[in-house]
Amino acid sequence: MDPRLWLATVSGAVTLGYLAIRKLLDYDPREPPLAPQRIPIISHMIGLYRRTYNYYSDVYAATGAPIFTVPLPGQKMYVVSSPDLIQSIQRQHRAFSIDPILMKFSSIIAGSSKESDAILQHNVYGDDGDHGVAHESHIALRDGTKPSNIDEMNRDMLREVSSSLDLLEPPIGQRKRIKLYSWLRTTLTSATTRAVYGPMNPYNDQSIADAFWEFEQGIMPIIINILPTLFARKAIAARAKVSQAFYKYYTSNGQESASLLTRLRYGVATRNKLPVEDIAKIEIGGTIAIMVNTIPAAFWTLFYVHANPALLASIRAEVEACIETARGEDGTVTRTINIVTLKANCPLLLSSYQETLRYVGMGTPVREVTQDTYLDGYLLKKGALIQMPTRVVHSDPKLWGENANDFVPERFLPENKSSRPKESCFRTFGGGKTLCPGRHFATNEILAVVAAFVARLEMEPVDKEKGWEAPTSWNTGAAGQIMAPDRDVEVDIKRREGVEEGWRWVVRVDKGDKVFRMVTEDFGDE
């Protein structure tokens, strides 16, 4: 064996052994019980590597503990599986804070300057009141994505979606072959970013959009932050390209003609004196937030609806009954899909969408323990991290029944409310202070795509042998909260029988504060 390799191996083993002993000796019996492991520290690392987002579900299945301790090299972790405890953590947002993690994450993935890192960390624990980037950003996100404030974004997004479907729809008797995930990524990247960033949207340039997705795929070495210039060269180069495009956008005042959300967020950055160079770098995190989960959510909703012919027929009938048809003086037929009407009259569509989010949700909200605090009789120590894996809650048979690991499109129908757990058990959008603020916009976007697809088009997989066999999702990106498919699904598209050429299709959402209520907090949104 090469002496250098032997020395590195021995050094690594000694280091891991030292960390394992230190972590075990650091354990306080008042803390949550230790998760079982055969080899201290190493077993958890191997389990997380092999099983990724399913590992904590494995541990929970073996222990049934509502909260347990997972010691890892350099960091103690408390994993929470109980929805009631998760809600308690969300209510105590001072003792269990997301802000230090978000600001650190923002600076790492953006590669911002030390000057800006200090600004991001200013008053991050809220000791000096509700000001600073972290706290003001929460307010900007909340206000910029209220249902009553996203009408303009909805209009711009729906126009782009309709235009893309017009181009996709083949002439009568012909077919088009597409890769479904790739088509959705291109379409929704354009629709979402134009709605958020306005007419000067940097992602109007396809090369900038491609650079963003290359960065997103290579983000993990940047997050780990160990020799990123060696292990993440392509991702760093792609990030630089996106940042340069946003620098040009901001210095040209592109934000002035953008959405309220973009204007509010830019105002927070400038009030806190972030340099424009770093505002441009940090915005790549904003793009992650608005795009990374919507696209796989739309993919899986379309996939599971089409994989079940009876479900597809039922949803198609629901949507068809909601379409408004008008004939102009020149004979032109206009078919209008109104998202508000869909929400009020398509319970199976909505149930299938929410079940998709439950079934493929795999995010893990994180909090930092800012002070020694007792939770349910257990001591949580300052400096430790809390993880609340969505996958554990969503796959728990004690909450969802014996079919918890099955896709059940009728699960969220109103008449089935008594057979499912309370709303706080649905965790795809998180909750509390960090409840996903863009959930209403994303829901409108996904429902628009799915409804227009089933109304206008027929779709079948090219690979008849695999058919609608679901792809695996082991390689979902580090920023994802929704599983992304490991392979694309190639499909043939044709116009639905009875859909005539020359019809004009419109997708719109009426003004108003009405929302599709999926999480506990939504019941206070109206």
Side-chain angles (χ1 to χ4, degrees), residues 131-178:
H131 65 85
V133 175
H135 303 287
E136 293 173 43
S137 292
H138 284 304
I139 297 170
L141 287 168
R142 181 197 66 200
D143 292 348
T145 56
K146 281 182 179 177
S148 56
N149 287 341
I150 59 173
D151 291 325
E152 182 182 353
M153 285 171 55
N154 282 329
R155 185 191 67 237
D156 292 343
M157 173 270 292
L158 293 173
R159 183 173 57 244
E160 290 292 329
V161 168
S162 294
S163 176
S164 294
L165 282 161
D166 288 343
L167 295 173
L168 177 63
E169 184 178 272
I172 292 175
Q174 297 184 26
R175 293 172 177 258
K176 281 188 180 179
R177 181 164 293 184
I178 62 168

Side-chain angles (χ1 to χ4, degrees), residues 416-433:
N416 293 332
K417 184 173 183 178
S418 62
S419 63
R420 62 178 182 265
K422 55 189 177 182
E423 286 81 6
S424 60
C425 296
F426 179 74
R427 300 292 311 159
T428 300
F429 293 117
K433 186 178 179 181

Side-chain angles (χ1 to χ4, degrees), residues 393-453:
V393 177
H394 283 183
S395 61
D396 188 353
K398 288 184 287 188
L399 297 173
W400 300 95
E402 292 304 314
N403 61 3
N405 289 304
D406 298 331
F407 180 80
V408 182
E410 303 84 6
R411 191 185 302 274
F412 290 95
L413 287 174
E415 59 264 33
N416 293 332
K417 184 173 183 178
S418 62
S419 63
R420 62 178 182 265
K422 55 189 177 182
E423 286 81 6
S424 60
C425 296
F426 179 74
R427 300 292 311 159
T428 300
F429 293 117
K433 186 178 179 181
T434 55
L435 177 69
C436 174
R439 65 195 181 281
H440 302 306
F441 178 78
T443 293
N444 289 341
E445 190 166 26
I446 293 167
L447 292 179
V449 170
V450 175
F453 237 93

Side-chain angles (χ1 to χ4, degrees), residues 293-419:
N293 297 302
T294 302
I295 293 162
F299 169 84
W300 288 117
T301 306
L302 276 172
F303 184 94
Y304 286 118
V305 166
H306 283 79
N308 184 330
L311 175 63
L312 174 60
S314 296
I315 289 177
R316 184 167 275 156
E318 281 188 338
V319 172
E320 188 66 33
C322 293
I323 295 176
E324 304 166 20
T325 302
R327 186 180 294 273
E329 293 182 359
D330 60 355
T332 300
V333 172
T334 299
R335 303 263 286 166
T336 301
I337 299 173
N338 189 326
I339 303 302
V340 172
T341 306
L342 293 181
K343 290 177 182 178
N345 297 283
C346 296
L348 186 57
L349 169 62
L350 299 185
S351 177
S352 299
Y353 166 59
Q354 189 168 359
E355 173 68 353
T356 300
L357 297 181
R358 183 199 72 87
Y359 193 63
V360 298
M362 45 75 68
T364 303
V366 183
R367 300 290 187 274
E368 180 182 323
V369 182
T370 63
Q371 59 194 46
D372 285 2
T373 307
Y374 278 91
L375 178 71
D376 198 36
Y378 292 113
L379 172 64
L380 306 190
K381 288 191 172 182
K382 179 180 178 178
L385 294 183
I386 298 172
Q387 289 195 336
M388 298 168 282
T390 297
R391 192 75 174 155
V392 174
V393 177
H394 283 183
S395 61
D396 188 353
K398 288 184 287 188
L399 297 173
W400 300 95
E402 292 304 314
N403 61 3
N405 289 304
D406 298 331
F407 180 80
V408 182
E410 303 84 6
R411 191 185 302 274
F412 290 95
L413 287 174
E415 59 264 33
N416 293 332
K417 184 173 183 178
S418 62
S419 63

Side-chain angles (χ1 to χ4, degrees), residues 203-359:
Y203 296 106
N204 287 340
D205 182 339
Q206 186 59 46
S207 70
I208 302 302
D210 292 341
F212 169 79
W213 289 113
E214 183 166 2
F215 163 77
E216 190 270 339
Q217 288 296 309
I219 198 174
M220 181 57 83
I222 294 175
I223 294 173
I224 295 173
N225 205 26
I226 298 176
L227 300 176
T229 53
L230 179 62
F231 296 111
R233 284 177 294 178
K234 288 185 177 180
I236 289 173
R239 180 180 68 184
K241 186 170 185 175
V242 175
S243 298
Q244 288 164 8
F246 269 104
Y247 178 77
K248 182 179 179 181
Y249 171 78
Y250 287 125
T251 54
S252 300
N253 295 318
Q255 74 282 356
E256 292 183 1
S257 55
S259 65
L260 174 65
L261 173 63
T262 295
R263 299 195 304 273
L264 289 174
R265 292 182 62 245
Y266 185 75
V268 170
T270 53
R271 279 198 309 274
N272 285 276
K273 296 182 171 52
L274 280 167
V276 67
E277 294 88 346
D278 285 323
I279 298 174
K281 291 177 180 179
I282 292 167
E283 189 51 43
I284 202 165
T287 306
I288 288 173
I290 64 173
M291 284 206 300
V292 164
N293 297 302
T294 302
I295 293 162
F299 169 84
W300 288 117
T301 306
L302 276 172
F303 184 94
Y304 286 118
V305 166
H306 283 79
N308 184 330
L311 175 63
L312 174 60
S314 296
I315 289 177
R316 184 167 275 156
E318 281 188 338
V319 172
E320 188 66 33
C322 293
I323 295 176
E324 304 166 20
T325 302
R327 186 180 294 273
E329 293 182 359
D330 60 355
T332 300
V333 172
T334 299
R335 303 263 286 166
T336 301
I337 299 173
N338 189 326
I339 303 302
V340 172
T341 306
L342 293 181
K343 290 177 182 178
N345 297 283
C346 296
L348 186 57
L349 169 62
L350 299 185
S351 177
S352 299
Y353 166 59
Q354 189 168 359
E355 173 68 353
T356 300
L357 297 181
R358 183 199 72 87
Y359 193 63

